[in-house]
């Protein structure tokens, strides 16, 4: 066995058009609670109450309740509790969260036709993940050994020597690194693995998904409110991580480190429809309904991978890959209730559902050029293997929002809110590195986290002076999860070759302070 190992040239260039992997897709598809400070302070439970620009992306009919034109801008701080800063990941970061306007045009005695635009950060990726634990009879390099033993990685030639110029689709980037340089001895044509005693992972996630929403909405006799929003989504995701294993080899103890950097960039679009009804003419009680199409994403992912041993970089030129793929998120449905008492109390409740088991990972299969219109159109097809894995890993998510606003004085508002978001991941989901899928083939990290339910508690204050309003909100969100450095693998022949690692508990506890400046005209 070699104490130091080298990354050879990667043989992945034969599959240029690919689909991504379930756990990476889930990061892009999930959404945060964000928007104006009023919206966040009430827990986002304003889909039936309306008259806040943030409802443009949840129930477009809410824009139809504006009686005056308005413009708002929001920014603040986001801080991760209990995080240990790593690389360029910081515990606390400034965030520009929202900017938008609504133009309200009277279209009759009691009817308006409104137009709106709003940008908001629907997903903030800033997060530092740290996990570590002891290892016994399990490691990443043992997993590679077990996969090769069961014929999943490299074919052998007539002399039984593995042909590293070829690989099966089950071989990911980490398998390639370990297999070429740590698991195979050219001296006696034998596969080995070094026993591991512990592992540690540190990763800094950064970036955001920005959503640009364009809305047309209105009301009919102040009883029925209808709206439609066209949304453009801008994905900017980054992470840098270091996975370390403490190994025992023939020459003693040493560390093997895989440094991994990944970027995902691209854009998508969706359409949202909404309606709000006042069923009783003399009552302000409202019922809201909304539906959002999938977000049709066209994305590019690229990664850089480097190996180290005992702190020494091994390769002059790191391994790297880049490819394009498509991702279609599930449909989303919403139901909401709202009620006001005089001009001093507002109550809201909202429920949303999206079945993330139906995330659609898609391989690009080519395209064609339309000479008449001068446009190029991509063609794609679903990655059935990865989508089957997604169905086994993810599930439907229910989001409950509750909110209240109380005005002890017409110029002052006090707000409280609560959210419960059910788990997206099934209890026994895992990142399957044996899939015959291009999404697994290009994986540069094998760890995964099954996040559980999210609880959010919010509060806020508002102050109105003339045509201006100043709003402040605080949000605390907490999500626990179970982290695993790699999939468990059971050998069908030799129990000693089983590779099983218990998950460890991790959490994402976040504090957000949000400020909004608004103007009505």
């Amino acid at each position: 066995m070699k104490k130091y190992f080298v990354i050879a040239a990667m043989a992945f260039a034969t599959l240029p058009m690919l689909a991504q992997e379930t756990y990476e897709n889930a990061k892009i598809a999930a959404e945060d609670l964000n928007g104006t400070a009023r919206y966040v302070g009430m827990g986002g439970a304003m889909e039936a109450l309306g008259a806040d620009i943030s409802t443009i992306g949840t129930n477009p009919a809410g824009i139809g309740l504006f009686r005056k034109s308005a413009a708002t801008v929001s920014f603040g701080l986001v801080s991760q509790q209990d995080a240990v800063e790593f690389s360029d990941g910081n515990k606390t970061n400034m965030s520009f969260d929202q900017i938008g306007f609504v133009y309200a045009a009277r279209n009759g005695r009691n009817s308006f036709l409104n137009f709106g635009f709003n940008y908001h950060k629907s997903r903030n990726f800033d997060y530092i993940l740290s996990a570590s634990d002891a290892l016994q009879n399990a490691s990443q390099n043992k997993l590679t050994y077990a996969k090769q033993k069961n014929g999943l990685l490299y074919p052998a030639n007539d002399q039984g020597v593995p042909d590293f110029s070829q690989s099966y689709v089950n071989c990911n980037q980490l398998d390639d690194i370990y297999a070429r340089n740590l698991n195979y001895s050219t001296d006696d044509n034998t596969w080995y693995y070094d026993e591991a005693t512990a592992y540690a992972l540190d990763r800094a996630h950064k970036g955001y998904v920005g959503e640009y929403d364009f809305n047309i909405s209105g009301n009919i006799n102040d009883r029925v409110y209808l709206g439609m929003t066209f949304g453009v989504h801008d994905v900017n995701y980054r992470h840098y991580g270091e996975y370390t294993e403490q190994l025992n080899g023939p020459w003693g103890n040493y560390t093997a480190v895989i440094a991994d950097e990944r970027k995902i960039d691209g854009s998508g679009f969706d359409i949202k429809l909404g309606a709000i009804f006042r069923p009783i003419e003399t009552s302000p009680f409202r019922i809201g309904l909304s539906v959002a199409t999938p977000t049709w994403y066209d994305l590019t992912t690229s990664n850089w991978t480097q190996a180290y041993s005992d702190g020494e970089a091994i390769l002059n030129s790191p391994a790297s890959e880049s490819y394009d793929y498509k991702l279609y998120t599930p449909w989303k449905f919403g139901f909401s209730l709202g009620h006001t008492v005089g001009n001093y109390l507002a109550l809201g409740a909202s429920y949303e559902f999206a079945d993330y088991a139906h995330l659609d990972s898609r391989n690009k299969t080519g395209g064609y050029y339309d000479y008449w219109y001068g446009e190029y159109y991509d063609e794609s097809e679903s990655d059935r293997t990865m989508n089957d894995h997604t169905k086994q890993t993810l599930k439907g998510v229910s989001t409950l929002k509750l909110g209240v606003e109380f005005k002890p004085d017409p110029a002052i508002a006090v707000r409280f809110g609560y959210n419960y978001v059910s788990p997206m991941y099934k209890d026994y989901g895992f990142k399957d590195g044996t899939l015959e899928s291009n999404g697994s083939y290009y994986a540069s990290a094998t760890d995964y986290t099954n996040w559980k339910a999210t609880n959010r508690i919010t509060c806020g204050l508002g102050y109105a002076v003339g045509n201006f309003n100043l709003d402040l909100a605080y949000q605390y969100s907490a999500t626990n999860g179970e982290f695993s450095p790699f999939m468990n693998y059971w050998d069908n022949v030799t129990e000693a070759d089983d590779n099983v690692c218990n998950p460890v508990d991790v959490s994402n506890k976040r504090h957000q302070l949000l400020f909004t400046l608004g103007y009505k005209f």
Side-chain angles (χ1 to χ4, degrees):
M1 293 290 289
K2 291 178 286 186
K3 180 178 179 180
Y4 298 100
F5 56 100
V6 180
I7 303 178
M10 309 294 280
F12 294 102
T14 57
L15 296 172
M17 292 178 285
L18 311 166
Q20 186 57 290
E21 187 273 334
T22 296
Y23 282 84
E24 294 294 325
N25 288 341
K27 294 177 184 177
I28 304 298
E31 294 184 355
D32 298 325
L33 173 65
N34 203 17
T36 66
R38 184 186 180 213
Y39 181 80
V40 172
M42 291 188 66
M46 301 191 67
E47 281 71 34
L49 292 170
D52 188 281
I53 197 167
S54 290
T55 62
I56 195 173
T58 52
N59 186 346
I63 305 301
L65 278 86
F66 275 85
R67 295 295 176 267
K68 290 185 177 181
S69 300
T72 59
V73 60
S74 305
F75 55 89
L77 293 170
V78 177
S79 181
Q80 182 184 342
Q81 181 178 318
D82 302 329
V84 177
E85 294 191 351
F86 169 75
S87 183
D88 61 348
N90 300 315
K91 292 178 59 175
T92 302
N93 297 280
M94 290 286 296
S95 180
F96 180 75
D97 295 289
Q98 179 271 329
I99 185 170
F101 70 90
V102 173
Y103 175 72
R106 185 178 292 276
N107 192 35
R109 181 177 180 182
N110 294 315
S111 300
F112 282 78
L113 182 64
N114 298 343
F115 302 89
F117 165 78
N118 188 55
Y119 162 83
H120 86 286
K121 188 178 291 183
S122 63
R123 182 77 163 136
N124 188 331
F125 292 118
D126 291 349
Y127 174 63
I128 301 170
L129 174 63
S130 299
S132 60
D133 200 11
L135 287 173
Q136 184 177 9
N137 298 322
S139 67
Q140 176 63 56
N141 84 103
K142 184 180 178 182
L143 176 59
T144 299
Y145 163 83
K147 290 171 69 174
Q148 176 63 28
K149 178 185 174 183
N150 285 276
L152 296 178
L153 301 185
Y154 294 97
N157 59 23
D158 295 339
Q159 290 73 41
V161 176
D163 184 357
F164 287 114
S165 67
Q166 303 182 50
S167 63
Y168 297 119
V169 74
N170 312 84
C171 180
N172 58 42
Q173 287 192 12
L174 291 188
D175 288 326
D176 192 77
I177 291 172
Y178 282 106
R180 293 172 183 265
N181 309 291
L182 190 64
N183 289 115
Y184 178 71
S185 170
T186 57
D187 297 334
D188 55 3
N189 186 28
T190 306
W191 289 87
Y192 299 91
Y193 65 88
D194 281 344
E195 293 284 354
T197 58
Y199 76 87
L201 176 86
D202 293 289
R203 180 180 294 136
H205 307 76
K206 298 176 71 67
Y208 61 91
V209 177
E211 185 172 342
Y212 302 81
D213 286 325
F214 303 84
N215 174 275
I216 181 170
S217 58
N219 75 76
I220 303 172
N221 296 323
D222 207 23
R223 291 283 303 278
V224 178
Y225 310 84
L226 302 173
M228 179 178 71
T229 294
F230 176 79
V232 178
H233 302 248
D234 176 30
V235 178
N236 298 268
Y237 171 80
R238 307 286 185 271
H239 83 227
Y240 173 76
E242 294 179 359
Y243 175 71
T244 303
E245 286 188 341
Q246 302 293 332
L247 298 171
N248 292 328
W251 294 274
N253 299 333
Y254 68 102
T255 61
V257 181
I258 300 295
D260 172 62
E261 182 177 351
R262 182 169 292 277
K263 300 191 299 182
I264 302 176
D265 296 287
S267 60
F269 67 93
D270 67 359
I271 299 172
K272 311 172 191 72
L273 301 173
I276 298 173
F277 308 92
R278 285 200 304 114
I280 304 172
E281 183 177 4
T282 57
S283 172
F285 176 72
R286 304 161 195 161
I287 299 173
L289 299 171
S290 63
V291 59
T293 69
T295 302
W296 295 287
Y297 280 116
D298 198 337
L299 303 170
T300 298
T301 183
S302 57
N303 79 289
W304 171 96
T305 307
Q306 176 71 292
Y308 299 85
S309 183
D310 288 341
E312 179 183 349
I314 303 303
L315 189 64
N316 292 328
S317 299
S320 61
E321 298 294 336
S322 179
Y323 60 86
D324 301 329
Y325 68 102
K326 288 182 179 289
L327 172 66
Y328 297 167
T329 66
W331 288 78
K332 182 181 291 185
F333 303 92
F335 173 76
S336 53
L337 302 173
H339 187 63
T340 59
V341 178
N343 60 358
Y344 63 89
L345 182 65
L347 303 170
S350 301
Y351 173 79
E352 296 175 349
F353 178 80
D355 190 354
Y356 289 95
H358 292 283
L359 275 175
D360 186 10
S361 302
R362 302 184 67 84
N363 295 316
K364 285 192 174 182
T365 57
Y368 64 93
Y369 186 80
D370 188 326
Y371 289 95
W372 182 265
Y373 292 101
E375 298 286 345
Y376 181 84
Y377 297 93
D378 286 323
E379 293 180 332
S380 65
E381 64 181 13
S382 295
D383 182 342
R384 296 184 182 275
T385 300
M386 185 57 69
N387 288 343
D388 287 343
H389 174 259
T390 299
K391 290 181 175 65
Q392 297 169 7
T393 304
L394 305 181
K395 58 184 178 179
V397 173
S398 295
T399 301
L400 175 65
K401 303 176 184 178
L402 303 174
V404 58
E405 178 184 72
F406 173 66
K407 290 186 174 182
D409 181 90
I412 299 174
V414 180
R415 305 173 181 119
F416 297 95
Y418 170 75
N419 283 186
Y420 173 80
V421 185
S422 67
M424 180 187 295
Y425 301 87
K426 294 182 179 179
D427 291 339
Y428 300 104
F430 65 95
K431 182 181 288 188
D432 192 343
T434 67
L435 295 177
E436 293 187 8
S437 167
N438 297 329
S440 293
Y441 191 73
Y442 279 80
S444 57
T446 60
D447 65 275
Y448 59 94
T449 303
N450 289 329
W451 294 105
K452 300 180 181 179
T454 297
N455 288 275
R456 302 178 181 130
I457 299 174
T458 68
C459 61
L461 294 172
Y463 178 70
V465 51
N467 290 331
F468 288 92
N469 61 277
L470 306 174
D471 296 285
L472 184 68
Y474 166 77
Q475 176 183 183
Y476 172 73
S477 65
T479 311
N480 295 320
E482 292 186 341
F483 170 89
S484 296
F486 41 77
M487 63 176 287
N488 290 333
Y489 192 89
W490 285 269
D491 189 270
N492 294 325
V493 179
T494 306
E495 184 176 344
D497 288 339
D498 290 349
N499 197 67
V500 180
C501 176
N502 293 324
V504 297
D505 293 334
V506 293
S507 67
N508 184 3
K509 298 176 181 177
R510 179 181 293 183
H511 304 267
Q512 181 186 21
L513 190 64
L514 186 64
F515 175 78
T516 296
L517 173 63
Y519 179 73
K520 295 180 180 180
F521 56 96

